[in-house]
Amino acid sequence: MQPENPSSIATPTSPANATLSTQRRAAVRTAWILASVALVFFGANIVAQRVESSLIGIGALGFALVGFVWVVIAARARQ
Amino acid sequence: VTPRSGTKPLLRSQEMNLQTPLTTIGLAAPLDQPTGVRRWLMATNHKDIGTLYLCFSFTMFLVGGLMAMGIRAELFQPGLQLMQPEFFNELTTLHGLIMLFGAFMPALVGFANWQIPMMIGAPDMAFPRLNNFSFWLLPPAAILLVASLFVPGGASGAGWTSYPPLSVQMGPGMDMAIFAIHLLGVSSIVGSINIVTTILNMRAPGMTLMKMPMFVWTWFVTAYMIILVMPVLAGAVTMLLTDRHFDTHFFNAAGGGDPILFQHIFWFFGHPEVYIIGLPAFGIISQVIPTFARKPLFGYRSMVIATCAIGIISCTVWAHHMFTVGMPVAGQLFFMYASLLIAVPTGVKVFSWVATMWEGSLTFETSMLFAVGFLFVFVVGGLTGVIMAIAPVDIQLHQTYYIVAHFHYVMAAGSLFAMFAGAYLWLPKWTGHMYDETLGRWHFWLSMIFFNMTFFVMHFLGLAGMPRRVPDYPLQFADLNMIASIGAFGFGLTQLLFLYIVIKCIRGGPKASAQVWDGAKGLEWTLPSPPPHHTFETPPVIA
């Protein structure tokens, strides 16, 4: 399944679907989603201990896992 | 232009690359790039930053190694010879922190920086300036850690785990360690975001996820794990900091806090950390073995699934580090079974590596020697891990040298041998020169002998009841400790040989071809050796 070299590599072409700017926008969007997951984990970790509510921990996990999947699916659906 | 007789013509991008004057390891910059110190300070090229990471990590490896030698020198004989117990604790703490956060993780990020864009056909990382930023966070963190030795009260002596209440009572060295962890954490998170974004958005046309090389896959999963668990560690040490200076009582039992809570939060990070270092090492081995077995990787799809499974399960096993703390039987059973379960995908990987070698046209260049050596030490470490996943056994062996032996087999040798395998595999590609194979073999065999001399005997020390993190011990442990100390000094000195081999390779040697190894597969081998400063300006198309 690994890419064969060099027999399976065709001649180069310019990117078919994505211009550099759309690629850049997609990269920035991905980075912000990932950064927000990290920030939520950092903040919720402290807040959950502070208020001693397990709901916050579960909420953070939910946002990070379900929310991330939801955002990815929604982005794909728009395409 | 044809690369060798009997193969297809080179890509247009390769032709362009071949017409570019080749420069050693890209150490001489093209005309449009800054030169001298500015080139490295302001580096945005993934190869330059990869080189910076690798140089930094090897420097920290030597610093952490020196500390290990200090520890082993003290333990050479019973009685206090060289240092006070407090300083021994400081060395133990800094050795752990420096090796994990300063040496192993940056080294693997260095490999990722060099290889991932070339392997997926990308011109660079998604965010080159962010890449520069994440590297330059590391030196201040390293300075904080090492400089903490010289502040009043010395460095943190609470162990790399920084358990309260000890860590709440330490001097300013503990604050420096906390800030260092913050910086290292930010660096890792930013670097991981960059890696995930690069892999998701910058693959060459036709390079689907299931066509990615295993090294890229393992880093893909690892980067997600870092994004999930590193903020948790940052939160834990932030709470520690506020407990120390702002009168909060997260972990202070006297104020209603819970010190055990810190252990749970820490190990929610700490156990995945083992696989954060382990998975990219697995990825390197998955590139090395097919190359020198001259066969495709056995069970690529199973390997991908196993990698994801390890990533997920590793987040559910943290409390096996805490069996002795005390927990309900149901909790012990859950974490015991989950820990045993993780052996299944790991076993799939070992099986696939062995199956790849089966009936392959094997040759044993230094890279392959280290890969086979990795299999040996990793399986030993893995099996002792399975033994200790069983709660009643762990309760007996916890806090003994058996644990020290186990995690050095898994983390130290496991990842180190894999990184050496990767370094010898890609060194000719990076430098444009072949390394000295004879010296490489010496490096392997000396490393293998001295490593086992150091750590194999520790299993027996642990089984005999020698506790870890002590500067002194009863006379009955003297002989085995002496063997371990001699091995440690030999292992440390052997790594200077590696430094010599790398410098010699950078300075010259037989020219390496683009393909380098006849069994090598993947996009990076379509580039000349060394690859030009800018690669894949026109993306290749994968059929």
Side-chain angles (χ1 to χ4, degrees):
Chain A
M1 290 298 290
Q2 290 201 85
E4 290 295 316
N5 169 38
S7 58
S8 64
I9 302 165
T11 52
T13 58
S14 56
N17 301 321
T19 62
L20 280 177
S21 63
T22 54
Q23 191 182 49
R24 176 81 186 163
R25 273 202 300 276
V28 171
R29 193 166 54 237
T30 309
W32 274 117
I33 292 170
L34 296 172
S36 65
V37 169
L39 274 175
V40 165
F41 261 55
F42 173 73
N45 181 19
I46 297 174
V47 173
Q49 311 313 326
R50 189 74 185 157
V51 301
E52 294 181 357
S53 165
S54 56
L55 275 179
I56 292 178
I58 294 168
L61 266 179
F63 173 83
L65 300 178
V66 182
F68 178 74
V69 173
W70 186 83
V71 168
V72 171
I73 291 171
R76 297 279 172 199
R78 273 206 303 276
Q79 290 170 6
Chain B
V1 182
T2 48
R4 5 171 96 209
S5 59
T7 58
K8 290 191 175 180
L10 285 177
L11 313 179
R12 192 177 304 149
S13 58
Q14 285 175 272
E15 292 174 16
M16 287 164 60
N17 292 334
L18 282 175
Q19 287 155 12
T20 311
L22 300 184
T23 53
T24 304
I25 201 177
L27 285 175
L31 292 175
D32 60 336
Q33 297 293 315
T35 54
V37 178
R38 285 178 65 239
R39 174 175 181 203
W40 301 104
L41 280 175
M42 300 155 72
T44 52
N45 186 285
H46 71 98
K47 302 182 201 76
D48 286 352
I49 295 176
T51 304
L52 285 171
Y53 266 109
L54 292 172
C55 293
F56 172 83
S57 62
F58 195 76
T59 308
M60 296 312 290
F61 175 64
L62 294 182
V63 173
L66 272 177
M67 291 174 173
M69 288 194 198
I71 293 166
R72 286 315 317 174
E74 177 56 52
L75 294 172
F76 188 74
Q77 284 184 319
L80 294 178
Q81 277 86 228
L82 301 171
M83 58 189 78
Q84 292 303 307
E86 293 80 10
F87 188 65
F88 182 90
N89 284 344
E90 290 169 26
L91 283 188
T92 312
T93 304
L94 285 187
H95 166 72
L97 287 172
I98 286 175
M99 283 301 197
L100 275 180
F101 294 110
F104 288 174
M105 283 180 75
L108 292 163
V109 177
F111 278 103
N113 260 289
W114 255 102
Q115 290 304 127
I116 287 176
M118 293 201 296
M119 284 176 151
I120 63 172
D124 207 309
M125 299 293 279
F127 304 108
R129 291 189 189 89
L130 206 61
N131 208 9
N132 175 292
F133 172 71
S134 69
F135 171 76
W136 284 109
L137 285 174
L138 295 180
I143 291 168
L144 272 174
L145 280 178
V146 177
S148 67
L149 280 168
F150 305 103
V151 297
S156 164
W160 83 280
T161 53
S162 302
Y163 280 179
L166 196 54
S167 55
V168 178
Q169 297 158 0
M170 285 273 154
M174 188 71 223
D175 298 319
M176 294 170 81
I178 289 173
F179 286 128
I181 290 171
H182 276 136
L183 287 176
L184 294 163
V186 171
S187 168
S188 298
I189 292 167
V190 168
S192 298
I193 289 174
N194 210 347
I195 287 170
V196 171
T197 309
T198 304
I199 295 171
L200 283 180
N201 294 299
M202 298 189 66
R203 298 191 310 278
M207 172 74 79
T208 59
L209 287 177
M210 291 308 283
K211 283 184 181 173
M212 292 195 309
M214 268 313 295
F215 178 71
V216 182
W217 253 112
T218 52
W219 248 114
F220 188 49
V221 175
T222 301
Y224 270 114
M225 288 168 70
I226 290 175
I227 291 166
L228 287 181
V229 302
M230 201 54 94
V232 176
L233 174 71
V237 294
T238 304
M239 285 186 268
L240 206 55
L241 194 69
T242 60
D243 272 9
R244 285 170 57 82
H245 297 293
F246 300 105
D247 250 358
T248 57
H249 301 285
F250 289 109
F251 309 125
N252 183 359
D258 184 1
I260 303 301
L261 178 69
F262 178 88
Q263 299 186 22
H264 279 289
I265 300 174
F266 178 86
W267 285 114
F268 181 77
F269 147 81
H271 194 79
E273 171 70 12
V274 175
Y275 291 94
I276 284 168
I277 290 173
L279 281 180
F282 296 169
I284 292 173
I285 296 301
S286 300
Q287 300 299 133
V288 172
I289 289 179
T291 299
F292 296 102
R294 292 162 182 80
K295 277 174 64 187
L297 184 66
F298 180 89
Y300 172 83
R301 189 175 291 270
S302 316
M303 289 288 257
V304 170
I305 294 169
T307 303
C308 298
I310 289 172
I312 293 166
I313 300 172
S314 73
C315 293
T316 65
V317 299
W318 75 87
H320 70 214
H321 295 269
M322 299 165 56
F323 283 143
T324 52
V325 167
M327 67 178 77
V329 173
Q332 284 191 6
L333 286 174
F334 172 80
F335 287 108
M336 188 172 95
Y337 291 139
S339 304
L340 292 171
L341 188 65
I342 209 164
V344 175
T346 312
V348 168
K349 283 187 167 289
V350 174
F351 176 80
S352 293
W353 291 322
V354 174
T356 305
M357 288 195 282
W358 186 258
E359 293 190 341
S361 300
L362 295 170
T363 52
F364 291 94
E365 286 83 352
T366 307
S367 179
M368 185 62 166
L369 284 175
F370 270 107
V372 176
F374 162 88
L375 281 179
F376 172 74
V377 293
F378 180 74
V379 168
V380 171
L383 287 177
T384 53
V386 170
I387 290 167
M388 280 185 307
I390 299 164
V393 179
D394 181 83
I395 289 167
Q396 297 298 317
L397 294 174
H398 202 82
Q399 209 62 11
T400 71
Y401 260 82
Y402 195 87
I403 299 276
V404 180
H406 157 70
F407 74 70
H408 278 91
Y409 264 90
V410 175
M411 293 194 74
S415 54
L416 199 60
F417 278 35
M419 283 190 273
F420 284 139
Y424 284 111
L425 175 70
W426 288 312
L427 207 53
K429 171 59 63 186
W430 297 342
T431 64
H433 301 124
M434 298 304 291
Y435 59 85
D436 189 325
E437 191 65 49
T438 308
L439 288 181
R441 284 164 199 259
W442 272 103
H443 177 219
F444 168 73
W445 284 111
L446 289 174
S447 294
M448 194 70 181
I449 291 166
F450 284 129
F451 174 83
N452 284 290
M453 197 173 156
T454 309
F455 293 105
F456 197 73
V457 295
M458 287 186 189
H459 292 108
F460 303 111
L461 284 171
L463 287 170
M466 179 171 164
R468 60 175 172 162
R469 292 178 180 168
V470 288
D472 193 9
Y473 50 83
L475 204 57
Q476 70 190 82
F477 302 128
D479 292 345
L480 292 180
N481 267 295
M482 195 176 282
I483 293 170
S485 290
I486 293 169
F489 278 99
F491 187 70
L493 290 173
T494 302
Q495 305 324 313
L496 296 178
L497 179 61
F498 175 68
L499 180 64
Y500 173 73
I501 293 168
V502 172
I503 292 172
K504 189 179 172 195
C505 183
I506 291 172
R507 291 169 66 92
K511 292 283 179 201
S513 64
Q515 180 73 16
V516 184
W517 313 108
D518 57 359
K521 307 271 186 199
L523 281 176
E524 76 269 36
W525 305 107
T526 65
L527 296 165
S529 304
H533 200 67
H534 297 294
T535 43
F536 296 123
E537 288 173 343
T538 307
V541 177
I542 315 300

